[in-house]
Amino acid sequence: MIEVPHRKYQVGRWQVDCARMTISSAEKTEQLSAKVFEILKLFIISKEHIVSKDKAIEVIWLGNEGVGKTGFTNAVWQLRKAFTDLGAEPDEVFATIQKVGYQMLADIEGIEENSVNNEFVSRYSKAAKYGAVAVIIVVLVAILIRFMSPTIQVEKVTQHATHITNYEGIEKQPNISPDGAFMAFQWRPLGKTQQIYIKNLQNSEAPLRKLTTEGNREISPVWSPTGTEIAYQKILENKECVISIYSLISNENRTVVNGCKAASNTNPLAWSKDGKTLVYNKVLDNRVAIFSYDLASNSEKQVSFPKENHQDLSVTFVENDEKLVIVRSYIESSELVVISDYKQQNVSENSFLQLEARMLSIAWDERNKKLFVIKPENGLYVLVSIDLQNNQQQLIDETATPGTLAVNNKTHELFFTRHYSKEHVEELAIDSGKLIRRVASSSRDLYGHYVSSDNSILFVSNRSGNWEVWQRNQYVSTQRTDNIGTVSIPAVSNNGSWFAMRVDPTGEKQPYLYISKIDGSEVIKEDNLGMPIQNPSWSVDEQSLYFSGFKDGKWGIFKYHMSTQKVEQITHSGEVFAQEGNDGDLYVSRFDLNGIWKFELKSNTFTQITKDFRSKDFASFYVKEDHLYFLKRTETQDLLMKVNKDQSVEVVLQFDVLSIRPYQGISSGADGSVIITRHGVLDADIYSLPL
């Protein structure tokens, strides 16, 4: 980490705060990610404030040229965008020096502070020197956490987070050894496969230890109670998920379970304190359940029993391993479930918290008898603690992105992941990849859709503090919804007159179909469909909407007729998204299955078009001029693919791996273009909070 002599700097018309990693104008403040702020500090201390690409790679990326080239360009773009959002002219702060790098043009002067602040700077610099930077987070004004249960009370507690990791790429899924001295975590350096590493928490100078050298994708590590083994999920070349146990003494690796479910930002695996039992999620035909594995007898048993299309993804032991708590997800809702008798033949489940949103990671604090949960709330993810005896809650932290949790029972700290995510929307020419236009701000701008009536882009953003729908014309962005509830991804009709989406209204239980003129002059609120709905799309003639609905125990595609307001069921075999082709047939994706299928209405038959499509990208495809375009992901690249009329498949555009947002990361643009949601920064670090 780069040391600078001052805590604050005056940079032209703006003030830079090195402790809080912010740039401020008189009216506004921009928060930077850790890696981008390191680049800013390098500009501040460099001679004539010139930074070459080679120097940045050497200092910031420690000589990793493959990662550093892209990282440096991206970081300078982030800095330019931050200053522009604070009122800078395009070339006021930075100049490009051909074949060298960039120069910071603004006048830079260190700000002298009083002795109290200088003492703080001294402590901060010392902490930075030893790799344990204390990042001060001021928890925002307490918000009222909305839950389904009226008995739950929420309090606010302010904590200070400590930066634990700061590597290039994504570090997450922390898990702490029983003696509190080591942290196992998964790390994905840019352009590489994510694998398990071990960090010494008591010696910051000690090198990381890589768990295995197999080369498989490794995630979700969990320590044994003896501290001599680590269980983790491993993804094989055939995409099968298995659970392996690695001995830190003998360096031997053995597989104990197959068929597990790999899911981001969850806790899919736990190890009992007596060392006898593993609990984990496992994929069944049409659901994901929790199983236990007896390490002595090598036998497994199902211990949770979700309904069809429900998924039990996260699990933890609580109350001295006498009970389990699981997160059960269904569509966009979730609940916390306690299993008190998981060791018995017949188990019972007790649901104690339901939300019309997806909870993610959980962790148990044995000393304080509290459960920690990460869940979405008002456009952010919040970390709360729950007392299982009285359901009282405390708001611990707010963040713009989700993460995973772990408790250090020796040092009484909570470890969590914080992602640095600044997505933006781009329209690209398909034939060349040339940038046509970009929708970007200091907030998160996602899921752009082309509006043909005025050549604009409709997108989702949290610019106002909540997730709302916005429209970007040539120079101006206009907010199109305002506090109607939690909005989903909008679908735009072909002529650009209408958009439609699912809305989860604040304070109401039942989501509804929201249909609106682009300018908001006419709104239809369809809340009498009789089923949970999601992922609407328009028919080619714009007279109907398709959506995915859940009826009679199965997902399927339904058709809503605008003129009659009647609904008819089209498919009923797990379909979650549909796009109509020019011939009237549907292209569909399915719940938890990789691939895209064509459904012919006349014959009522399915034909699989491709297997190279992730179920997590369920809406990342579209039909244009009788061609199917879809997003394919490999270990090294994101690819825009095109299926021709003769069913041949070709690569159209290539992108950096995981640079495109999941779910509906691509959509059709104007003729000859595609709209993508791109990650501006793909980075995540691990932090800790005192308990």
Side-chain angles (χ1 to χ4, degrees):
M1 181 161 296
I2 296 172
E3 296 186 43
V4 291
H6 298 280
R7 174 188 171 184
K8 294 182 179 180
Y9 287 85
Q10 192 69 34
V11 178
R13 299 183 281 125
W14 304 273
Q15 190 174 102
V16 172
D17 190 322
C18 297
R20 291 179 170 84
M21 296 192 296
T22 59
I23 308 172
S24 301
S25 65
E27 300 84 15
K28 188 178 178 183
T29 296
E30 292 292 324
Q31 178 79 52
L32 299 180
S33 69
K35 195 68 69 178
V36 174
F37 200 84
E38 288 297 290
I39 291 292
L40 177 57
K41 289 194 291 184
L42 187 58
F43 275 107
I44 290 174
I45 66 173
S46 295
K47 183 179 179 180
E48 298 182 348
H49 310 302
I50 295 174
V51 176
S52 68
K53 183 174 291 186
D54 291 340
K55 182 176 181 180
I57 292 171
E58 177 186 355
V59 175
I60 306 298
W61 284 277
L62 304 180
N64 190 332
E65 185 173 350
V67 174
K69 283 184 177 180
T70 302
F72 180 49
T73 303
N74 188 34
V76 173
W77 181 84
Q78 290 287 332
L79 287 172
R80 277 178 158 161
K81 184 168 73 71
F83 278 103
T84 300
D85 289 341
L86 292 171
E89 295 299 321
D91 297 319
E92 183 178 356
V93 181
F94 291 97
T96 301
I97 303 177
Q98 294 297 328
K99 298 183 180 181
V100 176
Y102 302 91
Q103 181 178 25
M104 204 169 189
L105 302 176
D107 293 332
I108 301 174
E109 183 177 353
I111 298 176
E112 299 293 339
E113 299 185 286
N114 59 37
S115 59
V116 174
N117 284 333
N118 286 332
E119 182 183 353
F120 172 82
V121 172
S122 176
R123 292 201 307 269
Y124 184 88
S125 298
K126 183 179 180 180
K129 182 178 180 181
Y130 290 97
V133 179
V135 181
I136 294 180
I137 299 177
V138 181
V139 176
L140 303 176
V141 179
I143 62 174
L144 180 63
I145 308 296
R146 177 174 56 86
F147 291 100
M148 299 300 294
S149 170
T151 63
I152 291 174
Q153 298 178 348
V154 178
E155 297 179 354
K156 184 191 76 171
V157 60
T158 300
Q159 298 282 21
H160 301 288
T162 300
H163 215 152
I164 302 299
T165 67
N166 187 24
Y167 308 119
E168 182 67 38
I170 298 174
E171 306 103 60
K172 61 180 182 179
Q173 295 283 8
N175 194 265
I176 311 303
S177 62
D179 62 3
F182 296 92
M183 177 183 73
F185 66 101
Q186 70 183 57
W187 177 27
R188 179 167 192 161
L190 292 180
K192 297 183 179 180
T193 302
Q194 54 195 355
Q195 293 186 297
I196 306 299
Y197 292 79
I198 299 174
K199 178 179 176 63
N200 190 325
L201 296 175
Q202 297 179 345
N203 180 6
S204 61
E205 301 298 324
L208 294 179
R209 173 180 174 178
K210 190 176 181 181
L211 189 65
T212 77
T213 58
E214 293 181 352
N216 293 302
R217 180 183 166 206
E218 301 168 351
I219 57 178
S220 306
V222 175
W223 290 85
S224 70
T226 62
T228 60
E229 294 180 305
I230 291 178
Y232 63 97
Q233 290 183 330
K234 179 166 60 177
I235 313 302
L236 305 179
E237 288 186 8
N238 63 2
K239 307 302 181 183
E240 181 185 9
C241 176
V242 301
I243 295 176
S244 294
I245 297 178
Y246 186 86
S247 171
L248 298 172
I249 298 176
S250 67
N251 294 325
E252 294 178 341
N253 203 359
R254 70 186 193 275
T255 297
V256 294
V257 171
N258 55 23
C260 51
K261 171 71 174 180
S264 299
N265 303 315
T266 62
N267 301 91
L269 180 64
W271 203 324
S272 64
K273 289 194 294 185
D274 62 12
K276 298 179 179 179
T277 306
L278 285 173
V279 290
Y280 50 92
N281 63 32
K282 187 169 183 175
V283 178
L284 302 179
D285 287 340
N286 48 21
R287 67 203 74 192
V288 179
I290 300 299
F291 281 68
S292 67
Y293 183 83
D294 188 301
L295 291 165
S297 63
N298 296 325
S299 60
E300 66 176 352
K301 182 185 76 165
Q302 186 173 346
V303 297
S304 78
F305 296 87
K307 297 178 181 178
E308 185 176 0
N309 292 316
H310 288 62
Q311 295 189 329
D312 296 345
L313 297 177
S314 288
V315 59
T316 186
F317 290 97
V318 301
E319 298 182 0
N320 288 313
D321 292 359
E322 293 299 319
K323 301 177 181 179
L324 299 175
V325 173
I326 63 176
V327 176
R328 176 168 293 163
S329 299
Y330 168 64
I331 316 176
E332 295 301 322
S333 64
S334 59
E335 59 182 330
L336 291 177
V337 178
V338 175
I339 301 176
S340 302
D341 47 5
Y342 68 93
K343 299 178 183 179
Q344 306 302 317
Q345 187 64 33
N346 297 314
V347 302
S348 59
E349 299 181 351
N350 176 37
S351 175
F352 70 95
L353 173 62
Q354 302 85 34
L355 288 177
E356 288 299 319
R358 283 206 171 192
M359 287 177 280
L360 299 167
S361 180
I362 54 177
W364 175 249
D365 177 9
E366 188 64 51
R367 183 183 69 155
N368 296 311
K369 305 297 182 185
K370 290 184 178 181
L371 183 74
F372 292 96
V373 181
I374 287 182
K375 64 183 187 64
E377 184 71 37
N378 295 333
L380 295 172
Y381 283 89
V382 294
L383 167 60
V384 297
S385 67
I386 305 175
D387 189 321
L388 298 185
Q389 300 302 315
N390 56 24
N391 280 343
Q392 185 176 8
Q393 299 192 18
Q394 285 184 324
L395 172 64
I396 305 299
D397 188 47
E398 291 180 321
T399 181
T401 53
T404 44
L405 302 174
V407 172
N408 190 332
N409 288 305
K410 293 297 183 181
T411 61
H412 309 300
E413 294 175 284
L414 178 68
F415 287 69
F416 65 99
T417 301
R418 179 169 291 156
H419 291 255
Y420 303 107
S421 186
K422 290 287 186 181
E423 301 94 337
H424 59 273
V425 176
E426 292 181 349
E427 185 177 8
L428 305 174
I430 287 179
D431 58 353
S432 64
K434 181 180 178 181
L435 178 67
I436 298 173
R437 56 179 158 176
R438 176 185 288 123
V439 179
S441 68
S442 59
S443 300
R444 302 176 65 191
D445 301 326
L446 309 167
Y447 304 126
H449 281 71
Y450 181 65
V451 181
S452 60
S453 58
D454 59 3
N455 194 36
S456 64
I457 293 178
L458 204 69
F459 62 99
V460 178
S461 179
N462 63 349
R463 298 181 182 196
S464 66
N466 296 320
W467 290 108
E468 304 286 359
V469 175
W470 290 70
Q471 184 181 11
R472 174 62 180 264
N473 291 303
Q474 187 175 5
Y475 301 111
V476 179
S477 292
T478 304
Q479 187 174 335
R480 289 304 182 194
T481 62
D482 188 12
N483 290 317
I484 62 174
T486 302
V487 303
S488 63
I489 303 173
V492 178
S493 63
N494 284 348
N495 68 6
S497 299
W498 296 86
F499 72 94
M501 61 187 174
R502 165 188 158 133
V503 171
D504 292 80
T506 303
E508 300 179 35
K509 185 176 181 180
Q510 184 64 43
Y512 61 87
L513 182 62
Y514 181 92
I515 307 169
S516 173
K517 289 280 192 178
I518 292 291
D519 61 4
S521 59
E522 182 180 351
V523 173
I524 301 170
K525 177 182 174 181
E526 183 55 77
D527 56 2
N528 193 32
L529 298 175
M531 72 190 81
I533 67 162
Q534 60 180 359
N535 309 328
S537 65
W538 289 89
S539 62
V540 174
D541 63 10
E542 301 174 332
Q543 300 302 307
S544 304
L545 279 164
Y546 295 99
F547 63 85
S548 179
F550 190 75
K551 187 176 182 180
D552 299 329
K554 287 186 179 294
W555 282 106
I557 300 300
F558 293 77
K559 189 175 185 178
Y560 172 81
H561 297 270
M562 294 279 286
S563 59
T564 63
Q565 298 182 336
K566 291 185 177 181
V567 175
E568 63 172 315
Q569 186 165 3
I570 307 298
T571 72
H572 51 83
S573 50
E575 292 75 31
V576 295
F577 182 69
Q579 281 274 2
E580 187 180 77
N582 291 330
D583 56 4
D585 292 333
L586 299 182
Y587 294 83
V588 301
S589 57
R590 285 175 166 162
F591 175 78
D592 215 26
L593 288 176
N594 292 340
I596 299 173
W597 289 260
K598 183 176 182 180
F599 179 70
E600 297 182 15
L601 275 73
K602 291 182 179 180
S603 62
N604 202 37
T605 58
F606 289 94
T607 302
Q608 188 163 17
I609 303 300
T610 181
K611 296 181 180 178
D612 295 329
F613 181 76
R614 293 194 323 171
S615 60
K616 190 174 182 179
D617 294 313
F618 58 85
S620 294
F621 68 90
Y622 63 90
V623 181
K624 188 88 168 184
E625 297 177 351
D626 296 325
H627 298 291
L628 173 67
Y629 295 86
F630 69 93
L631 177 62
K632 176 182 177 180
R633 300 190 193 263
T634 71
E635 287 295 321
T636 58
Q637 287 181 310
D638 291 349
L639 303 170
L640 178 64
M641 309 297 294
K642 176 183 176 182
V643 181
N644 298 304
K645 294 180 181 180
D646 61 2
Q647 301 305 303
S648 62
V649 181
E650 61 179 294
V651 176
V652 178
L653 293 175
Q654 302 178 38
F655 307 92
D656 292 340
V657 63
L658 297 180
S659 61
I660 297 180
R661 179 81 180 173
Y663 311 131
Q664 195 167 5
I666 68 169
S667 64
S668 176
D671 291 341
S673 72
V674 61
I675 295 175
I676 67 171
T677 297
R678 188 191 289 271
H679 288 287
V681 176
L682 193 60
D683 196 63
D685 294 339
I686 296 173
Y687 290 76
S688 70
L689 287 168
L691 296 176

